[in-house]
Amino acid sequence: MSQILLIEDEDRINSFVSKGLRAAGYTPTVATTGREGYHLAQTGDFELIVLDLGLPDQDGFTVLRRLRENKNYSPVIILTARNTVDDTVAGLEGGADDYMAKPFRFEELLARIRLRLRPEGNGGDTTTLTHGKLRLDLRTRRAAVDGKEVDLSAREFALAEAFLRNPGQVLSREQLLSRVWGYDFDPGSNVVDVYIRYLRNKLGAGHFVTVRGMGYRLVEGE
């Protein structure tokens, strides 16, 4: 189980990213200051670091520079509200492996984490997801039901991927919103229910079961 260090001072982001990582099988540790994050990173216990730039005590660029100067080459994904080209270039040239601007979708962050960790193992198992008659090809972004290809939009595919990564598990609307639509999406929106209906129409109504008061669960269907 991969250990991931999240250096981020916003409680809301820490909460939903940590929950999502645990659901995906990772072990997250949170640091809310640059100094704390740097010292934790230097323990060598973490296989990947998610780093915010706007930390309260020091700039994330400083944390990154210190890590690289001290021969810490753990993969680093910068996660920040700064989205200018100059900041992106500075982050990548400073030693970051990837750069994501806020707001973001959790599923995209998760995909980037998996990409950076793939050389460590699990590489051959993550290109295709199957459950019963459902199949998703993560490289070509194609879906199929009982061998017949089905066209899905990017958002429909992301939602289907969330279910196929957690077969049989009840996923709440809040979990699906954070993973597929992003942490800042209106929690009162009915967009999840709308897209569940789309998936039922395209992939089969029997696969997506409503669990009253809790959310939805993927089953094998008929």
Side-chain angles (χ1 to χ4, degrees), residues 130-202:
T130 59
H131 185 69
K133 297 180 179 180
L134 302 182
R135 181 178 184 273
L136 296 181
D137 189 317
L138 303 182
R139 290 176 298 181
T140 63
R141 312 303 285 180
R142 292 177 178 173
V145 180
D146 201 16
K148 183 178 180 180
E149 192 168 313
V150 178
D151 289 329
L152 296 181
S153 69
R155 197 76 76 179
E156 290 166 350
F157 191 96
L159 183 59
E161 182 180 347
F163 280 108
L164 266 76
R165 289 194 183 279
N166 301 277
Q169 178 179 329
V170 177
L171 298 178
S172 69
R173 289 173 177 81
E174 291 75 17
Q175 285 177 306
L176 294 171
L177 275 173
S178 68
R179 294 183 186 191
V180 180
W181 280 270
Y183 75 93
D184 65 340
F185 206 89
D186 179 8
S189 170
N190 71 338
V191 68
V192 171
D193 307 278
V194 171
Y195 272 79
I196 290 292
R197 186 165 67 247
Y198 293 163
L199 288 187
R200 284 171 170 165
N201 289 337
K202 292 185 176 184

Side-chain angles (χ1 to χ4, degrees), residues 29-203:
T29 297
V30 172
T32 57
T33 67
R35 184 173 289 102
E36 179 189 14
Y38 172 77
H39 287 301
L40 283 172
Q42 287 301 88
T43 66
D45 294 335
F46 302 97
E47 295 172 60
L48 184 139
I49 300 167
V50 179
L51 174 65
D52 183 27
L53 293 183
L55 298 168
D57 58 336
Q58 57 185 279
D59 194 283
F61 285 131
T62 301
V63 177
L64 178 60
R65 176 179 53 78
R66 292 182 65 201
L67 288 173
R68 296 314 190 217
E69 285 177 350
N70 286 278
K71 312 301 182 186
N72 185 318
Y73 298 115
S74 299
V76 173
I77 298 176
I78 289 178
L79 189 64
T80 179
R82 304 181 193 177
N83 57 5
T84 67
V85 173
D86 288 344
D87 282 325
T88 303
V89 171
L92 296 175
E93 289 187 346
D97 297 89
D98 209 339
Y99 194 107
M100 284 191 67
K102 301 173 184 177
F104 62 93
R105 290 191 298 116
F106 178 77
E107 281 300 312
E108 182 180 354
L109 174 61
L110 187 60
R112 295 185 186 218
I113 288 172
R114 287 186 172 123
L115 177 64
R116 296 302 164 190
L117 293 179
R118 188 171 297 166
E120 306 290 333
N122 300 327
D125 298 329
T126 58
T127 58
T128 303
L129 299 176
T130 59
H131 185 69
K133 297 180 179 180
L134 302 182
R135 181 178 184 273
L136 296 181
D137 189 317
L138 303 182
R139 290 176 298 181
T140 63
R141 312 303 285 180
R142 292 177 178 173
V145 180
D146 201 16
K148 183 178 180 180
E149 192 168 313
V150 178
D151 289 329
L152 296 181
S153 69
R155 197 76 76 179
E156 290 166 350
F157 191 96
L159 183 59
E161 182 180 347
F163 280 108
L164 266 76
R165 289 194 183 279
N166 301 277
Q169 178 179 329
V170 177
L171 298 178
S172 69
R173 289 173 177 81
E174 291 75 17
Q175 285 177 306
L176 294 171
L177 275 173
S178 68
R179 294 183 186 191
V180 180
W181 280 270
Y183 75 93
D184 65 340
F185 206 89
D186 179 8
S189 170
N190 71 338
V191 68
V192 171
D193 307 278
V194 171
Y195 272 79
I196 290 292
R197 186 165 67 247
Y198 293 163
L199 288 187
R200 284 171 170 165
N201 289 337
K202 292 185 176 184
L203 302 180

